[in-house]
mmCIF file of all heavy atoms in Angstrom:
data_model
loop_
_atom_site.group_PDB
_atom_site.id
_atom_site.type_symbol
_atom_site.label_atom_id
_atom_site.label_comp_id
_atom_site.label_asym_id
_atom_site.label_seq_id
_atom_site.Cartn_x
_atom_site.Cartn_y
_atom_site.Cartn_z
ATOM 1 N N THR F 60 -13.771 12.538 -12.444
ATOM 2 C CA THR F 60 -13.335 12.397 -11.052
ATOM 3 C C THR F 60 -14.478 12.147 -10.077
ATOM 4 O O THR F 60 -14.242 11.972 -8.896
ATOM 5 C CB THR F 60 -12.581 13.666 -10.612
ATOM 6 O OG1 THR F 60 -13.444 14.806 -10.752
ATOM 7 C CG2 THR F 60 -11.334 13.865 -11.458
ATOM 8 N N GLY F 61 -15.687 12.120 -10.551
ATOM 9 C CA GLY F 61 -16.821 11.930 -9.645
ATOM 10 C C GLY F 61 -16.807 10.545 -9.024
ATOM 11 O O GLY F 61 -16.562 9.542 -9.696
ATOM 12 N N THR F 62 -17.038 10.472 -7.729
ATOM 13 C CA THR F 62 -17.043 9.181 -7.027
ATOM 14 C C THR F 62 -18.117 8.269 -7.566
ATOM 15 O O THR F 62 -17.914 7.062 -7.739
ATOM 16 C CB THR F 62 -17.265 9.402 -5.516
ATOM 17 O OG1 THR F 62 -16.246 10.269 -5.027
ATOM 18 C CG2 THR F 62 -17.224 8.071 -4.777
ATOM 19 N N ASP F 63 -19.300 8.841 -7.841
ATOM 20 C CA ASP F 63 -20.411 8.026 -8.328
ATOM 21 C C ASP F 63 -20.079 7.353 -9.640
ATOM 22 O O ASP F 63 -20.527 6.230 -9.904
ATOM 23 C CB ASP F 63 -21.665 8.887 -8.479
ATOM 24 C CG ASP F 63 -22.209 9.352 -7.133
ATOM 25 O OD1 ASP F 63 -21.809 8.751 -6.107
ATOM 26 O OD2 ASP F 63 -23.012 10.299 -7.117
ATOM 27 N N ALA F 64 -19.307 8.021 -10.490
ATOM 28 C CA ALA F 64 -18.970 7.441 -11.792
ATOM 29 C C ALA F 64 -18.208 6.130 -11.620
ATOM 30 O O ALA F 64 -18.451 5.151 -12.333
ATOM 31 C CB ALA F 64 -18.159 8.427 -12.623
ATOM 32 N N GLY F 65 -17.280 6.099 -10.673
ATOM 33 C CA GLY F 65 -16.516 4.881 -10.439
ATOM 34 C C GLY F 65 -17.377 3.754 -9.917
ATOM 35 O O GLY F 65 -17.278 2.617 -10.368
ATOM 36 N N VAL F 66 -18.237 4.059 -8.960
ATOM 37 C CA VAL F 66 -19.132 3.049 -8.388
ATOM 38 C C VAL F 66 -20.063 2.507 -9.463
ATOM 39 O O VAL F 66 -20.291 1.288 -9.570
ATOM 40 C CB VAL F 66 -19.937 3.640 -7.217
ATOM 41 C CG1 VAL F 66 -20.993 2.642 -6.748
ATOM 42 C CG2 VAL F 66 -19.006 4.029 -6.080
ATOM 43 N N GLU F 67 -20.602 3.413 -10.285
ATOM 44 C CA GLU F 67 -21.515 2.995 -11.340
ATOM 45 C C GLU F 67 -20.810 2.144 -12.387
ATOM 46 O O GLU F 67 -21.371 1.165 -12.896
ATOM 47 C CB GLU F 67 -22.146 4.220 -12.003
ATOM 48 C CG GLU F 67 -23.104 4.980 -11.091
ATOM 49 C CD GLU F 67 -23.550 6.299 -11.699
ATOM 50 O OE1 GLU F 67 -23.059 6.625 -12.810
ATOM 51 O OE2 GLU F 67 -24.371 6.991 -11.072
ATOM 52 N N ALA F 68 -19.567 2.490 -12.700
ATOM 53 C CA ALA F 68 -18.821 1.715 -13.691
ATOM 54 C C ALA F 68 -18.561 0.293 -13.198
ATOM 55 O O ALA F 68 -18.736 -0.685 -13.928
ATOM 56 C CB ALA F 68 -17.511 2.413 -14.028
ATOM 57 N N VAL F 69 -18.139 0.149 -11.943
ATOM 58 C CA VAL F 69 -17.893 -1.176 -11.381
ATOM 59 C C VAL F 69 -19.192 -1.959 -11.276
ATOM 60 O O VAL F 69 -19.246 -3.162 -11.566
ATOM 61 C CB VAL F 69 -17.199 -1.056 -10.011
ATOM 62 C CG1 VAL F 69 -17.101 -2.422 -9.335
ATOM 63 C CG2 VAL F 69 -15.814 -0.442 -10.172
ATOM 64 N N ALA F 70 -20.253 -1.273 -10.874
ATOM 65 C CA ALA F 70 -21.557 -1.937 -10.787
ATOM 66 C C ALA F 70 -22.031 -2.411 -12.157
ATOM 67 O O ALA F 70 -22.720 -3.432 -12.269
ATOM 68 C CB ALA F 70 -22.589 -0.988 -10.171
ATOM 69 N N ALA F 71 -21.642 -1.701 -13.212
ATOM 70 C CA ALA F 71 -22.062 -2.057 -14.564
ATOM 71 C C ALA F 71 -21.233 -3.188 -15.148
ATOM 72 O O ALA F 71 -21.574 -3.722 -16.204
ATOM 73 C CB ALA F 71 -21.977 -0.831 -15.474
ATOM 74 N N GLY F 72 -20.110 -3.537 -14.490
ATOM 75 C CA GLY F 72 -19.329 -4.676 -14.964
ATOM 76 C C GLY F 72 -17.859 -4.431 -15.134
ATOM 77 O O GLY F 72 -17.114 -5.361 -15.486
ATOM 78 N N ALA F 73 -17.379 -3.194 -14.903
ATOM 79 C CA ALA F 73 -15.944 -2.933 -14.987
ATOM 80 C C ALA F 73 -15.227 -3.603 -13.825
ATOM 81 O O ALA F 73 -15.763 -3.705 -12.716
ATOM 82 C CB ALA F 73 -15.679 -1.428 -14.981
ATOM 83 N N GLN F 74 -13.990 -4.054 -14.074
ATOM 84 C CA GLN F 74 -13.208 -4.665 -13.011
ATOM 85 C C GLN F 74 -12.623 -3.613 -12.068
ATOM 86 O O GLN F 74 -12.410 -3.880 -10.891
ATOM 87 C CB GLN F 74 -12.074 -5.490 -13.618
ATOM 88 C CG GLN F 74 -12.527 -6.761 -14.319
ATOM 89 C CD GLN F 74 -12.949 -7.838 -13.342
ATOM 90 O OE1 GLN F 74 -12.541 -7.829 -12.192
ATOM 91 N NE2 GLN F 74 -13.796 -8.752 -13.789
ATOM 92 N N ASP F 75 -12.349 -2.421 -12.588
ATOM 93 C CA ASP F 75 -11.744 -1.370 -11.766
ATOM 94 C C ASP F 75 -12.011 -0.024 -12.433
ATOM 95 O O ASP F 75 -12.396 0.047 -13.615
ATOM 96 C CB ASP F 75 -10.234 -1.593 -11.618
ATOM 97 C CG ASP F 75 -9.692 -1.015 -10.304
ATOM 98 O OD1 ASP F 75 -10.369 -0.135 -9.721
ATOM 99 O OD2 ASP F 75 -8.601 -1.444 -9.888
ATOM 100 N N PHE F 76 -11.806 1.054 -11.657
ATOM 101 C CA PHE F 76 -12.024 2.424 -12.146
ATOM 102 C C PHE F 76 -10.848 3.271 -11.664
ATOM 103 O O PHE F 76 -10.613 3.391 -10.461
ATOM 104 C CB PHE F 76 -13.342 2.967 -11.577
ATOM 105 C CG PHE F 76 -13.680 4.358 -12.036
ATOM 106 C CD1 PHE F 76 -14.468 4.564 -13.158
ATOM 107 C CD2 PHE F 76 -13.211 5.470 -11.344
ATOM 108 C CE1 PHE F 76 -14.780 5.856 -13.584
ATOM 109 C CE2 PHE F 76 -13.516 6.757 -11.759
ATOM 110 C CZ PHE F 76 -14.310 6.951 -12.887
ATOM 111 N N LEU F 77 -10.093 3.811 -12.619
ATOM 112 C CA LEU F 77 -8.930 4.616 -12.288
ATOM 113 C C LEU F 77 -9.066 6.006 -12.902
ATOM 114 O O LEU F 77 -9.519 6.148 -14.045
ATOM 115 C CB LEU F 77 -7.652 3.956 -12.832
ATOM 116 C CG LEU F 77 -7.356 2.525 -12.346
ATOM 117 C CD1 LEU F 77 -6.105 2.000 -13.031
ATOM 118 C CD2 LEU F 77 -7.211 2.490 -10.835
ATOM 119 N N VAL F 78 -8.660 7.019 -12.126
ATOM 120 C CA VAL F 78 -8.667 8.400 -12.619
ATOM 121 C C VAL F 78 -7.286 8.709 -13.180
ATOM 122 O O VAL F 78 -6.264 8.470 -12.519
ATOM 123 C CB VAL F 78 -9.034 9.372 -11.482
ATOM 124 C CG1 VAL F 78 -8.987 10.825 -11.978
ATOM 125 C CG2 VAL F 78 -10.411 9.037 -10.921
ATOM 126 N N LYS F 79 -7.235 9.242 -14.393
ATOM 127 C CA LYS F 79 -5.958 9.439 -15.089
ATOM 128 C C LYS F 79 -4.961 10.239 -14.256
ATOM 129 O O LYS F 79 -3.781 9.890 -14.193
ATOM 130 C CB LYS F 79 -6.199 10.151 -16.417
ATOM 131 C CG LYS F 79 -6.965 9.321 -17.447
ATOM 132 C CD LYS F 79 -7.195 10.130 -18.720
ATOM 133 C CE LYS F 79 -7.986 9.335 -19.741
ATOM 134 N NZ LYS F 79 -8.261 10.112 -20.967
ATOM 135 N N GLY F 80 -5.400 11.280 -13.639
ATOM 136 C CA GLY F 80 -4.484 12.133 -12.901
ATOM 137 C C GLY F 80 -3.899 11.483 -11.671
ATOM 138 O O GLY F 80 -2.888 11.955 -11.131
ATOM 139 N N ASP F 81 -4.511 10.393 -11.189
ATOM 140 C CA ASP F 81 -4.047 9.731 -9.972
ATOM 141 C C ASP F 81 -3.263 8.454 -10.240
ATOM 142 O O ASP F 81 -2.859 7.766 -9.304
ATOM 143 C CB ASP F 81 -5.241 9.378 -9.078
ATOM 144 C CG ASP F 81 -5.996 10.620 -8.627
ATOM 145 O OD1 ASP F 81 -5.374 11.701 -8.593
ATOM 146 O OD2 ASP F 81 -7.200 10.498 -8.334
ATOM 147 N N VAL F 82 -3.073 8.123 -11.517
ATOM 148 C CA VAL F 82 -2.481 6.837 -11.868
ATOM 149 C C VAL F 82 -0.982 6.966 -12.063
ATOM 150 O O VAL F 82 -0.504 7.895 -12.727
ATOM 151 C CB VAL F 82 -3.137 6.278 -13.158
ATOM 152 C CG1 VAL F 82 -2.388 5.035 -13.638
ATOM 153 C CG2 VAL F 82 -4.587 5.945 -12.895
ATOM 154 N N ASP F 83 -0.240 6.008 -11.483
ATOM 155 C CA ASP F 83 1.183 5.897 -11.786
ATOM 156 C C ASP F 83 1.437 4.514 -12.397
ATOM 157 O O ASP F 83 0.514 3.701 -12.567
ATOM 158 C CB ASP F 83 2.043 6.125 -10.552
ATOM 159 C CG ASP F 83 1.742 5.142 -9.419
ATOM 160 O OD1 ASP F 83 1.191 4.045 -9.699
ATOM 161 O OD2 ASP F 83 2.048 5.465 -8.255
ATOM 162 N N ALA F 84 2.681 4.229 -12.715
ATOM 163 C CA ALA F 84 3.015 2.989 -13.421
ATOM 164 C C ALA F 84 2.643 1.759 -12.594
ATOM 165 O O ALA F 84 2.030 0.807 -13.108
ATOM 166 C CB ALA F 84 4.499 2.976 -13.764
ATOM 167 N N ASP F 85 3.012 1.742 -11.319
ATOM 168 C CA ASP F 85 2.736 0.566 -10.496
ATOM 169 C C ASP F 85 1.242 0.332 -10.322
ATOM 170 O O ASP F 85 0.764 -0.810 -10.377
ATOM 171 C CB ASP F 85 3.398 0.727 -9.120
ATOM 172 C CG ASP F 85 4.915 0.650 -9.208
ATOM 173 O OD1 ASP F 85 5.414 0.093 -10.200
ATOM 174 O OD2 ASP F 85 5.588 1.162 -8.283
ATOM 175 N N LEU F 86 0.498 1.426 -10.086
ATOM 176 C CA LEU F 86 -0.950 1.287 -9.881
ATOM 177 C C LEU F 86 -1.627 0.741 -11.139
ATOM 178 O O LEU F 86 -2.482 -0.147 -11.062
ATOM 179 C CB LEU F 86 -1.545 2.641 -9.505
ATOM 180 C CG LEU F 86 -3.076 2.685 -9.329
ATOM 181 C CD1 LEU F 86 -3.517 1.713 -8.234
ATOM 182 C CD2 LEU F 86 -3.539 4.108 -9.018
ATOM 183 N N LEU F 87 -1.243 1.253 -12.312
ATOM 184 C CA LEU F 87 -1.875 0.808 -13.547
ATOM 185 C C LEU F 87 -1.541 -0.660 -13.835
ATOM 186 O O LEU F 87 -2.428 -1.459 -14.177
ATOM 187 C CB LEU F 87 -1.433 1.689 -14.712
ATOM 188 C CG LEU F 87 -2.055 1.349 -16.075
ATOM 189 C CD1 LEU F 87 -3.577 1.414 -16.002
ATOM 190 C CD2 LEU F 87 -1.518 2.277 -17.155
ATOM 191 N N ALA F 88 -0.250 -1.015 -13.694
ATOM 192 C CA ALA F 88 0.133 -2.406 -13.951
ATOM 193 C C ALA F 88 -0.563 -3.357 -12.988
ATOM 194 O O ALA F 88 -1.032 -4.433 -13.376
ATOM 195 C CB ALA F 88 1.645 -2.551 -13.841
ATOM 196 N N ARG F 89 -0.660 -2.953 -11.722
ATOM 197 C CA ARG F 89 -1.335 -3.797 -10.725
ATOM 198 C C ARG F 89 -2.818 -3.947 -11.041
ATOM 199 O O ARG F 89 -3.381 -5.037 -10.925
ATOM 200 C CB ARG F 89 -1.129 -3.210 -9.332
ATOM 201 C CG ARG F 89 -1.686 -4.100 -8.218
ATOM 202 C CD ARG F 89 -1.170 -3.673 -6.851
ATOM 203 N NE ARG F 89 -1.522 -2.287 -6.538
ATOM 204 C CZ ARG F 89 -0.657 -1.292 -6.449
ATOM 205 N NH1 ARG F 89 0.643 -1.504 -6.670
ATOM 206 N NH2 ARG F 89 -1.045 -0.063 -6.146
ATOM 207 N N ALA F 90 -3.456 -2.865 -11.466
ATOM 208 C CA ALA F 90 -4.884 -2.925 -11.793
ATOM 209 C C ALA F 90 -5.140 -3.880 -12.957
ATOM 210 O O ALA F 90 -6.106 -4.654 -12.949
ATOM 211 C CB ALA F 90 -5.405 -1.531 -12.132
ATOM 212 N N VAL F 91 -4.245 -3.850 -13.959
ATOM 213 C CA VAL F 91 -4.405 -4.746 -15.105
ATOM 214 C C VAL F 91 -4.214 -6.193 -14.669
ATOM 215 O O VAL F 91 -5.015 -7.076 -15.020
ATOM 216 C CB VAL F 91 -3.411 -4.381 -16.223
ATOM 217 C CG1 VAL F 91 -3.407 -5.463 -17.312
ATOM 218 C CG2 VAL F 91 -3.767 -3.028 -16.829
ATOM 219 N N ARG F 92 -3.147 -6.453 -13.906
ATOM 220 C CA ARG F 92 -2.911 -7.819 -13.440
ATOM 221 C C ARG F 92 -4.103 -8.346 -12.642
ATOM 222 O O ARG F 92 -4.569 -9.463 -12.849
ATOM 223 C CB ARG F 92 -1.653 -7.860 -12.561
ATOM 224 C CG ARG F 92 -0.340 -7.735 -13.312
ATOM 225 C CD ARG F 92 0.808 -8.158 -12.395
ATOM 226 N NE ARG F 92 2.109 -7.895 -12.991
ATOM 227 C CZ ARG F 92 2.836 -6.820 -12.758
ATOM 228 N NH1 ARG F 92 2.374 -5.877 -11.936
ATOM 229 N NH2 ARG F 92 4.007 -6.654 -13.330
ATOM 230 N N TYR F 93 -4.570 -7.548 -11.702
ATOM 231 C CA TYR F 93 -5.689 -7.985 -10.858
ATOM 232 C C TYR F 93 -6.951 -8.219 -11.676
ATOM 233 O O TYR F 93 -7.702 -9.170 -11.430
ATOM 234 C CB TYR F 93 -5.954 -6.952 -9.756
ATOM 235 C CG TYR F 93 -4.914 -6.903 -8.657
ATOM 236 C CD1 TYR F 93 -5.032 -6.003 -7.600
ATOM 237 C CD2 TYR F 93 -3.820 -7.758 -8.664
ATOM 238 C CE1 TYR F 93 -4.078 -5.955 -6.585
ATOM 239 C CE2 TYR F 93 -2.862 -7.710 -7.662
ATOM 240 C CZ TYR F 93 -3.000 -6.804 -6.634
ATOM 241 O OH TYR F 93 -2.056 -6.760 -5.639
ATOM 242 N N ALA F 94 -7.195 -7.341 -12.630
ATOM 243 C CA ALA F 94 -8.397 -7.494 -13.463
ATOM 244 C C ALA F 94 -8.355 -8.806 -14.240
ATOM 245 O O ALA F 94 -9.352 -9.540 -14.322
ATOM 246 C CB ALA F 94 -8.525 -6.309 -14.420
ATOM 247 N N VAL F 95 -7.186 -9.087 -14.821
ATOM 248 C CA VAL F 95 -7.051 -10.319 -15.597
ATOM 249 C C VAL F 95 -7.201 -11.541 -14.696
ATOM 250 O O VAL F 95 -7.901 -12.506 -15.033
ATOM 251 C CB VAL F 95 -5.695 -10.343 -16.332
ATOM 252 C CG1 VAL F 95 -5.443 -11.713 -16.962
ATOM 253 C CG2 VAL F 95 -5.648 -9.247 -17.395
ATOM 254 N N GLN F 96 -6.562 -11.518 -13.524
ATOM 255 C CA GLN F 96 -6.654 -12.656 -12.615
ATOM 256 C C GLN F 96 -8.061 -12.859 -12.078
ATOM 257 O O GLN F 96 -8.533 -13.998 -11.945
ATOM 258 C CB GLN F 96 -5.662 -12.486 -11.456
ATOM 259 C CG GLN F 96 -4.200 -12.602 -11.865
ATOM 260 C CD GLN F 96 -3.881 -13.957 -12.475
ATOM 261 O OE1 GLN F 96 -4.449 -14.970 -12.079
ATOM 262 N NE2 GLN F 96 -2.987 -13.972 -13.452
ATOM 263 N N ARG F 97 -8.745 -11.765 -11.766
ATOM 264 C CA ARG F 97 -10.131 -11.900 -11.285
ATOM 265 C C ARG F 97 -11.007 -12.535 -12.343
ATOM 266 O O ARG F 97 -11.841 -13.399 -12.038
ATOM 267 C CB ARG F 97 -10.676 -10.534 -10.872
ATOM 268 C CG ARG F 97 -10.254 -10.071 -9.491
ATOM 269 C CD ARG F 97 -11.109 -8.909 -9.003
ATOM 270 N NE ARG F 97 -10.940 -7.733 -9.837
ATOM 271 C CZ ARG F 97 -10.055 -6.765 -9.600
ATOM 272 N NH1 ARG F 97 -9.255 -6.849 -8.558
ATOM 273 N NH2 ARG F 97 -9.972 -5.717 -10.398
ATOM 274 N N ARG F 98 -10.830 -12.109 -13.603
ATOM 275 C CA ARG F 98 -11.646 -12.690 -14.659
ATOM 276 C C ARG F 98 -11.318 -14.170 -14.834
ATOM 277 O O ARG F 98 -12.224 -14.990 -15.045
ATOM 278 C CB ARG F 98 -11.423 -11.935 -15.962
ATOM 279 C CG ARG F 98 -12.097 -12.580 -17.182
ATOM 280 C CD ARG F 98 -13.611 -12.747 -17.014
ATOM 281 N NE ARG F 98 -14.276 -11.480 -16.959
ATOM 282 C CZ ARG F 98 -14.687 -10.812 -18.039
ATOM 283 N NH1 ARG F 98 -14.487 -11.314 -19.248
ATOM 284 N NH2 ARG F 98 -15.304 -9.664 -17.904
ATOM 285 N N ARG F 99 -10.039 -14.514 -14.751
ATOM 286 C CA ARG F 99 -9.689 -15.924 -14.881
ATOM 287 C C ARG F 99 -10.300 -16.752 -13.762
ATOM 288 O O ARG F 99 -10.778 -17.875 -13.991
ATOM 289 C CB ARG F 99 -8.166 -16.079 -14.888
ATOM 290 C CG ARG F 99 -7.507 -15.572 -16.170
ATOM 291 C CD ARG F 99 -5.993 -15.636 -16.099
ATOM 292 N NE ARG F 99 -5.384 -15.185 -17.336
ATOM 293 C CZ ARG F 99 -4.081 -14.996 -17.515
ATOM 294 N NH1 ARG F 99 -3.240 -15.215 -16.511
ATOM 295 N NH2 ARG F 99 -3.616 -14.581 -18.686
ATOM 296 N N LEU F 100 -10.290 -16.219 -12.552
ATOM 297 C CA LEU F 100 -10.919 -16.928 -11.439
ATOM 298 C C LEU F 100 -12.427 -17.050 -11.645
ATOM 299 O O LEU F 100 -13.027 -18.094 -11.349
ATOM 300 C CB LEU F 100 -10.616 -16.213 -10.124
ATOM 301 C CG LEU F 100 -9.180 -16.335 -9.602
ATOM 302 C CD1 LEU F 100 -8.968 -15.440 -8.394
ATOM 303 C CD2 LEU F 100 -8.858 -17.786 -9.259
ATOM 304 N N GLU F 101 -13.040 -15.974 -12.136
ATOM 305 C CA GLU F 101 -14.476 -16.019 -12.416
ATOM 306 C C GLU F 101 -14.792 -17.073 -13.465
ATOM 307 O O GLU F 101 -15.750 -17.839 -13.327
ATOM 308 C CB GLU F 101 -14.964 -14.641 -12.877
ATOM 309 C CG GLU F 101 -14.968 -13.574 -11.788
ATOM 310 C CD GLU F 101 -15.241 -12.191 -12.349
ATOM 311 O OE1 GLU F 101 -15.433 -12.083 -13.586
ATOM 312 O OE2 GLU F 101 -15.251 -11.224 -11.569
ATOM 313 N N ASP F 102 -13.968 -17.120 -14.534
ATOM 314 C CA ASP F 102 -14.185 -18.113 -15.587
ATOM 315 C C ASP F 102 -13.998 -19.524 -15.054
ATOM 316 O O ASP F 102 -14.749 -20.448 -15.398
ATOM 317 C CB ASP F 102 -13.222 -17.862 -16.756
ATOM 318 C CG ASP F 102 -13.540 -16.582 -17.509
ATOM 319 O OD1 ASP F 102 -14.664 -16.058 -17.342
ATOM 320 O OD2 ASP F 102 -12.667 -16.110 -18.264
ATOM 321 N N THR F 103 -12.973 -19.698 -14.187
ATOM 322 C CA THR F 103 -12.740 -21.021 -13.601
ATOM 323 C C THR F 103 -13.898 -21.432 -12.709
ATOM 324 O O THR F 103 -14.371 -22.572 -12.763
ATOM 325 C CB THR F 103 -11.434 -21.021 -12.788
ATOM 326 O OG1 THR F 103 -10.338 -20.700 -13.651
ATOM 327 C CG2 THR F 103 -11.185 -22.390 -12.158
#
């Protein structure tokens, strides 16, 4: 749950950082969709 862990993970190359206890179905599905689309845009 540490804030720094999320920032460090994204800085290291992760598309997003989610804490298990705060995740619901919509948030997780949206994070996956956005991650995939961002990578596709980056590749393009």
Side-chain angles (χ1 to χ4, degrees):
T60 59
T62 303
D63 292 343
V66 173
E67 292 171 357
V69 173
Q74 289 286 337
D75 208 340
F76 181 92
L77 302 177
V78 178
K79 293 178 181 178
D81 298 335
V82 172
D83 59 22
D85 290 339
L86 177 59
L87 181 58
R89 185 166 59 248
V91 170
R92 286 195 188 96
Y93 288 180
V95 171
Q96 291 300 326
R97 279 195 296 268
R98 172 57 66 87
R99 289 175 179 172
L100 288 173
E101 290 171 0
D102 291 343
T103 300

